[in-house]
Amino acid sequence: MTKLTHLTIKAALEGLKKKEFTASELVGAHIAASESARHLNCYITETFDSARAQAKEADARYAAGKALPLDGIPIAMKDLFCTEGVQTTAASNILRGFVPPYESTVSGKMKADGLISMGKANLDEFAMGSSNTTSAFGNVINPWKRKGDNRDLVPGGSSGGSAAAVAARIAMGATGTDTGGSIRQPAAFCGIAGIKPTYGRCSRFGVVAFASSLDQPGSFARTVEDNALLLRSMAGYDPKDSTSVNVPVPDYAAACGGSIKGLRVGVPKEYRVEGTNAEILALWDKGVEMLKDAGAEIVEVSLPHTKYALETYYVIAPAECSSNLARYDGVRFGQRSAGENLIETYENTRAEGFGREVKRRILIGTYVLSAGYYDAYYNQARRVRKLIWQDFIDAYQKCDVLLTPTAPTPAFAIGENTQDPVTMYLNDIFTIPASMAGMPGMGVPVGLSADGLPLGLQLIGKPFEEETLFKAGHALELAAKFDALPQLLAA
Ligand code: GLN
């Protein structure tokens, strides 16, 4: 039998139902795997004891024939979701020791469906980054390595701990949040699948805010269908989040396996940007062929404002972050570095509590929002954002879904891309436009680079039509047959 840690969520649920193994065994196997993979630094806080206790409860429900929909499945919870009674840090020193008195809507829904959190997954500080190297709790290591090169690689970011945990088989799935690519890019770097649903699909209540008009929870798993199971649990209207949208949540798993005959797949010409790795461009062509062979109709489309997306994002996201992070003042949450007076306490707390990248974003954000520049930068960026959104709406006249690369390069070594922040920001060139427009995006692992690293492709869909993404993503997955294992596990 396949090792318990290598099962898909779907197969594990079948095994549990047939009593081939217990939830305690399943969770136990993942705890053992986590303990031997501690060097990856996937978790900021491990919650193994409560996971064991929850597994026992799941076993009792299975025995009584009253199992919950996803009962007993071990997952990793990005440490940006507030979890009642469990430290929630956003990977920042400023929140070290913060124990929320309440649960985020998404993590609460998942718990109610029987999912078991193994721990709070590491991330870039406040989800700002593309490599999980800005965490105050240390770097996360990607379980993949280049052939013949022993250097540690980044897992991508910001949801690096979540993605690495799923790739390393220490969790069967994970939550992430995606503001500009933080689910799709780490999924690509770690050779797994992930989805950022439409903005408004999952509640942001209880998720530590970075840029509120962009932040969206989503999932990671090793297959498209496993993501469908997780997203169904996470999604849904929440009156506690004013941007949550009241539309029914379909059975996403039912969309997996459907025919894509006649599906119109758009290939945006503007995504052929200079600097993209040649292997990724070749993989993109291959992906187009795969979908065509499965019955899709391929159409070339244009998203002319793509070239402004990154710049616009780096005005809007820092602006919103500077406002959201103003609440960390040393009075209400986490760290306090007392000074002579209140102002000095604010200054000391924020100087010591925030890392370099977070400070950079706050500075940019306060600058673009300052009285003299508000119109020139912030308002102008909002106008361009509207044009980016309009590009997608126009393209969807001609196609149902878009196929693009996910990231311009495979995973890089720690320190390789950190000389200047702009090189790092370029990582999200293909993921940011969909974020700016609020469109759903899915990352699917499709191939390996010549030096043995996973490469992924991105599908972007119409608002609230995640089912089309699941259908197309599943077809791509079937054709790609990606079954390579990270060196950590192959060895
Ligand atoms: N890498 C991007 C940033 O640093 C996106 C991060 C995210 O999606 N949370 O802003």
Side-chain angles (χ1 to χ4, degrees):
M1 196 177 80
T2 317
K3 273 170 78 169
L4 292 181
T5 49
H6 287 234
L7 292 174
T8 60
I9 294 177
K10 188 184 175 197
L13 286 169
E14 280 162 16
L16 286 166
K17 263 176 224 141
K18 290 192 199 140
K19 313 244 175 351
E20 286 168 9
F21 47 84
T22 63
S24 296
E25 286 164 349
L26 186 64
V27 166
H30 284 85
I31 292 174
S34 303
E35 284 169 347
S36 56
R38 280 215 173 100
H39 62 286
L40 301 180
N41 199 23
C42 292
Y43 293 117
I44 290 175
T45 306
E46 293 172 343
T47 52
F48 297 164
D49 289 343
S50 65
R52 281 193 196 93
Q54 280 174 264
K56 271 199 191 137
E57 291 169 17
D59 283 330
R61 286 189 292 265
Y62 276 107
K66 288 189 181 140
L68 301 166
L70 300 171
D71 225 350
I73 300 296
I75 56 159
M77 185 63 62
K78 186 176 184 178
D79 201 17
L80 206 59
F81 290 85
C82 285
T83 41
E84 189 180 348
V86 179
Q87 175 182 239
T88 300
T89 67
S92 181
N93 277 326
I94 214 158
L95 278 175
R96 204 183 271 269
F98 170 60
V99 178
Y102 66 101
E103 187 82 22
S104 81
T105 297
V106 163
S107 56
K109 282 163 77 76
M110 296 177 93
K111 216 178 194 176
D113 278 343
L115 290 161
I116 297 177
S117 174
M118 302 276 298
K120 302 299 294 287
N122 205 342
L123 66 151
D124 278 300
E125 186 178 0
F126 282 103
M128 297 171 197
S130 305
S131 57
N132 216 127
T133 51
T134 71
S135 166
F137 296 81
N139 299 333
V140 174
I141 311 294
N142 193 325
W144 293 83
K145 280 192 195 294
R146 289 181 188 132
K147 249 187 239 158
D149 182 343
N150 207 31
R151 272 181 300 171
D152 283 336
L153 304 181
V154 305
S158 66
S159 316
S162 301
V166 174
R169 274 74 176 164
I170 67 175
M172 305 193 94
T175 56
T177 61
D178 189 312
T179 302
S182 277
I183 290 177
R184 293 159 286 163
Q185 184 256 18
F189 278 22
C190 292
I192 61 171
I195 180 165
K196 174 201 94 80
T198 313
Y199 181 79
R201 181 57 103 176
C202 291
S203 169
R204 291 182 297 109
F205 176 78
V207 182
V208 175
F210 162 13
S212 306
S213 76
L214 294 152
D215 298 345
Q216 182 56 213
S219 63
F220 290 100
R222 293 187 291 268
T223 66
V224 170
E225 192 169 0
D226 282 0
N227 274 287
L229 297 171
L230 294 177
L231 187 64
R232 190 179 188 194
S233 175
M234 299 169 74
Y237 174 61
D238 179 11
K240 290 186 193 146
D241 171 1
S242 62
T243 59
S244 152
V245 178
N246 196 354
V247 290
V249 179
D251 179 0
Y252 297 125
C256 299
S259 161
I260 62 159
K261 207 166 169 27
L263 185 79
R264 296 170 307 161
V265 176
V267 178
K269 57 174 193 258
E270 290 80 5
Y271 278 52
R272 232 160 244 289
V273 294
E274 224 179 290
T276 303
N277 175 304
E279 286 181 299
I280 290 178
L281 290 176
L283 184 89
W284 188 16
D285 294 337
K286 241 187 177 164
V288 168
E289 285 308 310
M290 287 174 185
L291 291 180
K292 199 166 155 190
D293 290 346
E297 187 192 316
I298 309 298
V299 284
E300 185 176 289
V301 295
S302 173
L303 301 168
H305 297 92
T306 300
K307 56 178 180 291
Y308 305 117
L310 201 68
E311 286 86 341
T312 315
Y313 174 87
Y314 277 99
V315 173
I316 289 179
E320 292 184 17
C321 118
S322 71
S323 156
N324 274 326
L325 272 57
R327 75 190 69 175
Y328 304 105
D329 53 9
V331 177
R332 285 165 297 178
F333 311 95
Q335 160 161 345
R336 173 181 307 169
S337 310
E340 293 286 310
N341 52 45
L342 185 61
I343 297 294
E344 223 180 271
T345 299
Y346 290 163
E347 287 171 353
N348 292 352
T349 300
R350 290 168 68 84
E352 287 169 27
F354 290 135
R356 279 176 72 85
E357 184 59 28
V358 172
K359 284 181 188 154
R360 181 182 293 128
R361 308 271 180 123
I362 293 173
L363 286 174
I364 298 172
T366 37
Y367 179 77
V368 301
L369 288 176
S370 57
Y373 295 105
Y374 188 90
D375 224 31
Y377 291 109
Y378 185 65
N379 272 340
Q380 181 67 2
R382 291 203 313 170
R383 283 189 282 267
V384 178
R385 183 178 189 178
K386 183 79 195 293
L387 297 174
I388 294 168
W389 174 82
Q390 189 64 48
D391 278 358
F392 282 97
I393 299 300
D394 293 346
Y396 289 143
Q397 300 289 322
K398 286 173 55 183
C399 67
D400 306 303
V401 66
L402 297 156
L403 182 72
T404 78
T406 309
T409 68
F412 45 86
I414 291 176
E416 215 169 36
N417 255 348
T418 35
Q419 316 82 334
D420 83 289
V422 176
T423 318
M424 190 65 87
Y425 295 170
L426 282 171
N427 259 288
D428 298 315
I429 190 143
F430 300 131
T431 49
I432 277 180
S435 298
M436 295 298 281
M439 304 295 167
M442 174 185 282
V444 181
V446 174
L448 285 181
S449 68
D451 53 9
L453 294 182
L455 303 173
L457 293 178
Q458 174 183 225
L459 289 156
I460 305 172
K462 296 180 184 173
F464 297 100
E465 289 190 18
E466 287 87 5
E467 279 171 291
T468 312
L469 289 184
F470 281 110
K471 204 195 274 184
H474 190 263
L476 190 60
E477 180 180 57
L478 269 183
K481 296 189 189 64
F482 182 88
D483 59 2
L485 279 178
Q487 286 73 354
L488 178 86
L489 299 163

